Amino acid sequence: MTNAQKWVTAFLALFIFLFVLSGIVRDDEIVVPHDVDEYAQNEPTQTTQNQRQTTSEAPGLTLIKQSGCTACHGQDLKGTPNLGPSLYNAKAHWSRDELINYLRSPSDYSNDPRFNEYGNKYKNIMMPAYENIDVKDLGRIADYLLSLEE
């Protein structure tokens, strides 16, 4: 056996050993932190179908928090000065389908006079597009927003 063959055999044996070792030490148990609310706040902002609802609040509100909407619209969704308007009374301006379309692509609504007013009030702030969120989740968000009344 040549030196090259010995080295290939050694690397192959090492690879097999590490593969078997990884199967032995693999831990399939899911660890849930004790403070579920803190865990939910530290999750990524993008939602996926595999994410589980971690609190007993409305699914739409959970998705709103995970998407980062509260950063501009406030924890109570009643708006914040210089960042974002209140999300209450949305049903006065939107149908469910219109709101879903707006959330997917806010720039498509830039010619609406209401958004010209918002542009003057909230300078240099752009509503992000949520086209990466599943339409079903956007529907849950829209349903929740349409239920908000002051």
Side-chain angles (χ1 to χ4, degrees):
M1 197 178 238
T2 66
N3 280 340
Q5 290 172 327
K6 291 177 185 176
W7 280 106
V8 169
T9 304
F11 280 117
L12 184 59
L14 180 63
F15 176 78
I16 292 170
F17 171 74
L18 291 175
F19 181 75
V20 170
L21 183 64
S22 71
I24 293 171
V25 297
R26 182 181 314 155
D27 186 13
D28 290 334
E29 183 178 331
I30 297 174
V31 177
V32 178
H34 297 287
D35 187 355
V36 176
D37 290 332
E38 181 181 323
Y39 177 75
Q41 290 174 356
N42 293 330
E43 283 189 64
T45 57
Q46 293 183 355
T47 59
T48 64
Q49 291 178 337
N50 295 334
Q51 283 181 330
R52 295 186 179 134
Q53 189 174 336
T54 57
T55 64
S56 61
E57 62 191 16
L61 181 57
T62 300
L63 292 166
I64 285 170
K65 288 179 179 180
Q66 289 174 349
S67 299
C69 302
T70 56
C72 294
H73 297 285
Q75 291 296 321
D76 58 0
L77 303 177
K78 292 187 177 181
T80 57
N82 302 321
L83 285 178
S86 172
L87 298 179
Y88 279 71
N89 298 320
K91 70 180 177 182
H93 303 286
W94 303 102
S95 70
R96 183 177 191 271
D97 290 337
E98 289 172 334
L99 186 53
I100 291 170
N101 288 331
Y102 172 72
L103 293 171
R104 292 192 84 182
S105 183
S107 62
D108 291 349
Y109 293 81
S110 61
N111 294 331
D112 187 311
R114 191 165 38 116
F115 294 105
N116 290 333
E117 177 187 328
Y118 287 158
N120 293 330
K121 189 172 181 180
Y122 306 102
K123 296 194 182 302
N124 300 322
I125 303 295
M126 296 289 296
M127 171 75 176
Y130 290 103
E131 57 203 13
N132 58 336
I133 296 178
D134 184 60
V135 175
K136 290 178 183 177
D137 288 340
L138 288 175
R140 290 181 186 102
I141 291 172
D143 290 339
Y144 183 79
L145 292 177
L146 293 170
S147 73
L148 296 175
E149 293 182 17
E150 286 188 288

